[in-house]
């Protein structure tokens, strides 16, 4: 019995087969995420070998990057880099950001004893003031001190010293006498700076007249701790020409 096929029916059938095949290929690709669903050499030994090759490639890449870093560092110039690092360390020490130890002077200032009351016409002549402490601190800086402390607290260029009643406040912390100033530096230069300071001479005059306390001693093991206060200037104005 002969089977008749309508004209064009075979084209429709071929189209359907093509669509189904394409769907199957797309599904397979999505499932495998672009990789072979049955890769060759899927056994454990082969997988380990593949991982070993990947590790070796990464090691080779890391070694190449290290060589590039070494080459760039050499291009900068070791002497210049060492000089910059040394300059930074020196600046940090001068700014009080590094603890320092060394020999220098220890100065102790104390109020006059009660027995000296009768010799003074003004009670303020018998106590240590902010300007007295500042005078000795300034003399230490003038004498080339590498570091200065007051009551064990590191002083820097922005440190504030002021009187509040019978106490002295340093960077917001109140202290009472005796006031101990320590400076690390060449002791002979520090002592000369004291002798040349007019403010220190005024205090020495009060020591002679009213009995204010003053002692100066050399110490070979002074420690100046790292400055821990505020370093930013919060209030500053540019002076205008008068």
């Amino acid at each position: 019995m002969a089977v008749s096929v309508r004209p064009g029916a075979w084209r429709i059938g071929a189209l359907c087969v093509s669509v189904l095949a394409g769907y199957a290929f797309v599904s397979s690709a999505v499932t495998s995420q672009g990789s072979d669903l049955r890769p060759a050499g899927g056994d454990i030994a082969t997988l380990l070998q593949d991982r070993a090759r990947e590790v070796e490639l990464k090691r080779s890449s890391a070694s190449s990057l290290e060589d590039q870093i070494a080459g760039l560092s050499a291009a900068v110039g070791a002497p210049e880099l060492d000089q910059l690092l040394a300059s930074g360390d020196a600046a940090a020490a001068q700014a009080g950001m590094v603890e320092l130890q060394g020999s220098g002077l220890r100065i102790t200032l104390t109020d006059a004893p009660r027995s000296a009351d009768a010799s003074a016409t003004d009670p303020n002549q018998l106590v240590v003031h902010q300007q007295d402490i500042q005078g000795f601190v300034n003399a230490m800086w003038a004498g080339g001190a590498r570091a200065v402390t007051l009551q064990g607290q590191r002083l820097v260029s922005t440190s504030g010293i002021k009187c509040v009643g019978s106490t002295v406040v340093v960077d917001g912390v109140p202290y009472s006498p005796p006031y101990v100033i320590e400076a690390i530096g060449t002791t002979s230069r520090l002592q000369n700076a004291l002798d040349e300071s007019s403010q220190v001479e005024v205090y020495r005059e009060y020591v002679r007249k009213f009995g204010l306390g003053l002692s100066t001693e050399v110490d070979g093991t002074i420690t100046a701790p790292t400055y821990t206060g505020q370093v930013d200037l919060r209030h500053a104005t540019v002076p205008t020409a008068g």
Side-chain angles (χ1 to χ4, degrees):
M1 179 178 178
V3 178
S4 61
V5 179
R6 290 181 297 173
W10 65 274
R11 294 189 180 88
I12 296 175
L15 178 61
C16 291
V17 171
S18 299
V19 171
L20 291 173
Y23 177 77
F25 286 134
V26 171
S27 298
S28 176
V30 171
T31 302
S32 66
Q33 296 183 346
S35 61
D36 193 352
L37 288 175
R38 290 183 179 272
D43 59 287
I44 295 178
T46 303
L47 291 175
L48 290 176
Q49 291 176 1
D50 292 341
R51 295 297 181 269
R53 282 193 294 269
E54 291 179 8
V55 171
E56 187 59 32
L57 288 173
K58 293 184 182 298
R59 286 179 178 173
S60 178
S61 177
S63 178
S64 176
L65 291 174
E66 290 177 354
D67 291 341
Q68 292 181 36
I69 293 173
L72 292 173
S73 299
V76 171
E80 292 81 357
L81 183 59
D82 292 341
Q83 184 177 0
L84 289 174
L85 292 174
S87 176
D89 291 340
Q94 293 177 2
M97 299 298 107
V98 178
E99 178 181 291
L100 292 180
Q101 295 181 335
S103 61
L105 293 183
R106 177 183 294 108
I107 302 166
T108 304
L109 310 179
T110 57
D111 294 342
R114 293 183 178 276
S115 60
D117 288 353
S119 62
T121 58
D122 184 349
N124 288 322
Q125 296 173 330
L126 304 176
V127 297
V128 179
H129 293 281
Q130 167 265 328
Q131 63 266 27
D132 301 322
I133 298 173
Q134 193 68 62
F136 280 89
V137 170
N138 288 341
M140 294 297 93
W141 290 128
R146 295 169 53 213
V148 180
T149 68
L150 172 60
Q151 307 299 74
Q153 182 173 331
R154 186 75 170 267
L155 301 181
V156 297
S157 60
T158 56
S159 295
I161 303 174
K162 62 181 180 179
C163 282
V164 177
S166 60
T167 64
V168 168
V169 178
V170 182
D171 287 339
V173 181
Y175 296 102
S176 58
Y179 301 110
V180 179
I181 302 167
E182 293 182 319
I184 297 175
T186 304
T187 55
S188 59
R189 290 187 59 192
L190 296 175
Q191 187 61 60
N192 289 338
L194 289 176
D195 296 338
E196 295 172 358
S197 170
S198 58
Q199 290 178 295
V200 170
E201 182 55 35
V202 169
Y203 184 86
R204 285 173 172 169
E205 181 64 25
Y206 275 66
V207 170
R208 292 188 288 267
K209 291 180 61 175
F210 304 111
L212 291 175
L214 170 62
S215 68
T216 304
E217 57 184 319
V218 176
D219 191 323
T221 58
I222 295 176
T223 298
T226 301
Y227 178 71
T228 58
Q230 178 70 35
V231 295
D232 294 335
L233 291 173
R234 296 191 176 185
H235 305 284
T237 58
V238 177
T240 57

